[in-house]
Amino acid sequence: QVHLVESGGGSVQAGGSLRLSCAASGRTLRSYAMAWFRQAPGKEREFVAAINWSRGNTYYFDSVKGRFTISRDNAKNTVYLQMNSLKPEDTAVYYCAAAASGCSGYGCVVIEYDHWGRGTQVTVSS
């Protein structure tokens, strides 16, 4: 069983930055795909970014390309989401997710994620 805990959320002004962390425990994630999703009030959950743990290849939702960067730290078993140039429309609860199948390209958006964290709130004011 994989246990995921997010941290790093908060409130910032537009143009600011935050770095989210997702600490994983329970088993090695060597073959996993790790992703960040977000859900704004009244909206459906949407994919943000993913990384294949073993190869390190990444995939991003169009609206965050060039602003967000997903990365992982093998030693700490942690995935990060560096968010720069934040916009009010980035306001949401951000969730970390893990998929044992791994993923590549658009497959990272549509695969089934087996494990989810509880989320961390990000609020961007204008």
Side-chain angles (χ1 to χ4, degrees), residues 29 68 112-113:
L29 300 175
F68 291 10
E112 182 175 348
Y113 285 85

Side-chain angles (χ1 to χ4, degrees), residues 3 9 12 20 22 27 29 38 44 54 62 67 73 77 84 109-110 115-116 119:
H3 184 55
V12 295
L20 305 183
C22 172
R27 65 179 300 162
L29 300 175
R38 66 187 181 187
E44 294 187 353
S54 58
D62 284 348
R67 299 189 299 123
D73 185 322
N77 228 31
N84 299 327
V109 179
V110 298
H115 309 283
W116 293 84

